[in-house]
Amino acid sequence: MKKTLTIICSAFILSSCAWVKVTSQGESVRLVHSAKAVELCKKVGRVNAKVASHVIFNRNADKVAGELADLARNEAALMNGDTIIPISEIVDGRRSFSVYQCFQQQPINQR
């Protein structure tokens, strides 16, 4: 009984933790939900994100969605994107995002 209670408590604690952290580069990527927001942007690619959606039980849907977006923001930054938009529903902890460049990149001064 004590072992079962420990496992259940551990699962609740783990489910409340943020599993994905946004990188410093990912912080500059915005998440939009409207196709109008990216009409004038250059599409640079697509990102497929995946997180655990079950830890003994189903995790909170908002937390899963947030972590998927955070992963996509991190990946978009590596692609020189600055904006992402979800292009699929969340299924089994997976979601796809389109990556766009909407703002001009600052040129790096070379000396």
Side-chain angles (χ1 to χ4, degrees):
M1 178 68 177
K2 189 175 184 179
K3 188 175 182 178
T4 303
L5 184 60
T6 302
I7 291 171
I8 292 171
C9 289
S10 296
F12 280 116
I13 290 169
L14 285 174
S15 69
S16 66
C17 296
W19 295 48
V20 178
K21 301 290 182 199
V22 178
T23 62
S24 58
Q25 297 90 350
E27 288 178 3
S28 65
V29 177
R30 66 186 179 139
L31 169 68
V32 298
H33 293 281
S34 169
K36 282 194 170 231
V38 294
E39 281 181 343
L40 302 176
C41 304
K42 175 184 172 190
K43 185 173 182 179
V44 294
R46 177 180 172 153
V47 171
N48 297 309
K50 180 183 183 227
V51 298
S53 60
H54 307 302
V55 179
I56 300 177
F57 54 89
N58 287 339
R59 292 183 60 221
N60 179 289
D62 291 336
K63 286 188 183 219
V64 169
E67 290 176 9
L68 289 167
D70 289 347
L71 274 175
R73 290 173 63 200
N74 291 344
E75 290 298 316
L78 297 174
M79 300 168 63
N80 292 321
D82 55 38
T83 305
I84 58 171
I85 186 169
I87 56 172
S88 72
E89 296 298 318
I90 299 171
V91 178
D92 295 329
R94 298 173 191 255
R95 187 174 218 178
S96 296
F97 298 81
S98 286
V99 179
Y100 293 88
Q101 189 177 63
C102 297
F103 306 103
Q104 288 214 322
Q105 298 287 321
Q106 296 297 322
I108 299 172
N109 293 334
Q110 294 181 353
R111 296 178 190 213

